Amino acid sequence: MKKSSVVIVEMGLRDGLQNEKTVLDADTRVEFAKRLIDAGTKRVEIGSFVSPTWVPQMAGTADVLAKTFALQKVGKLSKKAELSVLVPNERGLQDAIQSGVKEVAIFAACSESFSKKNINCSIEESFQRFAPVMALAKKHKIKVRGYLSTCFGCPFEGKVSEAKVVKLAQRMHKLGVYELSIGDTIGVADVGQVRSLFKKLKKVVPAKKLAGHFHDTRGQALANILAAYDLGITVFDTSLGGLGGCPYAPGATGNVATEDVVYMLHGMGVKTGLNLDKLLEINPWIAEKIQHPLPSKVGKVGRLK
Ligand code: HMG
Ligand code: MG
């Protein structure tokens, strides 16, 4: 039976801030994490251990983690919130281990050009890099989440075949990731595509291990989430205000806004554990920090009281 609750994985601090021109210092990022967790967020991707030459916005992730853990330790922040970081390779994982984080995420693409532009290697090479990453993570009892990018289309190659996505999903699942997030990196997916792909994915990866990661470039993300939810998917990646995008996906806008998704789900009677009013208070605060308004619809006008 379908669950009437959904888990939101907050992307604002990573997928969001990685594409903002204004680089936020560690203290502001910690404050952002605190506000999100105080609003009920249980899973936060707090940054990434990638090359600072490639993504300067994510420099200082170790500091952000250390300060957030310190707040949790002294009881100023809920210990229930799970923090994770994105890592592209073994070097990134070693930094993650040093930081004391208990969860990381690895990522591969479904199109060669995007793989090359994003992590400077082929898809095959990226999977070869994952083997030692998975082994080291296991040794240190670190949970690993997986992402597949460009599952519905690539900014450089156009259409991506479903068969290729399904094959790569199966391969990443076999590596031992505990959850696999299916990325619409450039926000090109429509409901028809989502239904078709997730039906096929469910045959190779259990629905409870699949997540949806929709960017909202073409305004289809809410409909896509609903389509995936109807197929039994109950984990979705969202970003407060719809912050961000991907620095290596030209034209792509941010993840679907957390407030918009929560508004829709609560309206359907689906629990998220998030407090919409508190999320709405974060929107103007972070917009001021990054010096521009955010695209979230609900974030702009709030809700009827
Ligand atoms: P490279 O230049 O090929 O790396 O980059 P390299 O192995 O040749 O090393 C070059 C230098 O980088 C060396 O330093 C390494 O030590 C250093 P040097 O000897 O020159 O002083 N280096 C590192 N430094 C810090 N952290 C590391 C690291 N690894 C090597 N982990 C690399 C390859 C993968 C490092 C680079 O391409 C990279 O960092 N890419 C990350 C790009 C990125 O973060 N993209 C956005 C995230 S993905 C995304 O947004 C999609 C997603 O949201 C899902 C969706 O929407 O589809 C997840
Ligand atoms: Mg993304």
Side-chain angles (χ1 to χ4, degrees), residues 117-152:
K117 284 260 186 343
N118 197 35
I119 48 173
N120 203 21
C121 66
S122 68
I123 297 173
E124 186 55 42
E125 282 164 343
S126 72
F127 273 88
Q128 279 164 20
R129 282 182 191 171
F130 294 150
V133 170
M134 293 304 292
L136 191 58
K138 195 171 176 191
K139 192 172 152 205
H140 288 266
K141 298 192 170 55
I142 289 177
K143 281 165 77 178
V144 184
R145 184 181 209 230
Y147 285 101
L148 278 180
S149 289
T150 60
C151 295
F152 300 91

Side-chain angles (χ1 to χ4, degrees), residues 15 213 215 255:
D15 210 345
H213 179 105
H215 285 259
N255 296 102

Side-chain angles (χ1 to χ4, degrees), residues 10-277:
E10 175 60 44
M11 293 285 130
L13 278 138
R14 197 277 303 167
D15 210 345
L17 295 183
Q18 74 180 10
N19 207 36
E20 289 296 334
K21 284 200 180 72
T22 309
V23 178
L24 299 187
D25 61 27
D27 287 337
T28 310
R29 284 151 72 188
V30 172
E31 176 66 21
F32 189 18
K34 183 176 181 323
R35 286 172 184 244
L36 288 163
I37 293 167
D38 287 345
T41 311
K42 293 286 183 303
R43 288 175 62 182
V44 181
E45 195 165 271
I46 203 156
S48 58
F49 286 114
V50 298
S51 160
T53 313
W54 285 63
V55 188
Q57 293 91 333
M58 290 294 102
T61 290
D63 202 14
V64 177
L65 267 170
K67 289 177 167 159
T68 311
F69 282 143
L71 288 177
Q72 285 185 315
K73 202 172 167 192
V74 297
K76 289 194 174 159
L77 198 54
S78 168
K79 290 192 174 85
K80 283 188 191 146
E82 292 174 1
L83 312 177
S84 76
V85 288
L86 195 75
V87 299
N89 52 18
E90 216 177 329
R91 159 74 203 273
L93 178 61
Q94 275 157 0
D95 288 352
I97 292 166
Q98 285 289 318
S99 76
V101 76
K102 293 284 169 246
E103 179 176 338
V104 299
I106 57 174
F107 54 109
C110 295
S111 52
E112 291 295 346
S113 325
F114 186 77
S115 183
K116 186 77 190 156
K117 284 260 186 343
N118 197 35
I119 48 173
N120 203 21
C121 66
S122 68
I123 297 173
E124 186 55 42
E125 282 164 343
S126 72
F127 273 88
Q128 279 164 20
R129 282 182 191 171
F130 294 150
V133 170
M134 293 304 292
L136 191 58
K138 195 171 176 191
K139 192 172 152 205
H140 288 266
K141 298 192 170 55
I142 289 177
K143 281 165 77 178
V144 184
R145 184 181 209 230
Y147 285 101
L148 278 180
S149 289
T150 60
C151 295
F152 300 91
C154 168
F156 311 105
E157 295 174 20
K159 287 200 186 327
V160 172
S161 94
E162 282 186 335
K164 189 168 185 186
V165 180
V166 172
K167 210 167 145 195
L168 290 170
Q170 199 165 18
R171 190 166 174 191
M172 205 177 251
H173 175 54
K174 279 194 183 145
L175 273 178
V177 295
Y178 82 93
E179 188 172 273
L180 178 59
S181 183
I182 301 301
D184 181 16
T185 317
I186 54 168
V188 72
D190 57 52
V191 166
Q193 265 184 300
V194 169
R195 283 187 185 139
S196 175
L197 181 63
F198 273 94
K199 271 182 199 158
K200 293 186 177 79
L201 286 170
K202 278 168 58 178
K203 291 184 183 151
V204 294
V205 182
K208 64 175 188 309
K209 289 191 160 195
L210 287 167
H213 179 105
F214 296 105
H215 285 259
D216 202 23
T217 318
R218 291 168 180 79
Q220 305 298 301
L222 281 180
N224 290 336
I225 286 180
L226 194 52
Y229 176 77
D230 283 341
L231 288 168
I233 309 304
T234 54
V235 181
F236 294 101
D237 302 346
T238 69
S239 177
L240 197 285
L243 263 174
C246 175
Y248 295 100
T253 60
N255 296 102
V256 62
T258 308
E259 308 91 295
D260 295 355
V261 175
V262 168
Y263 185 92
M264 176 182 80
L265 293 172
H266 288 187
M268 292 159 57
V270 176
K271 295 190 179 97
T272 63
L274 289 165
N275 180 320
L276 182 58
D277 291 325

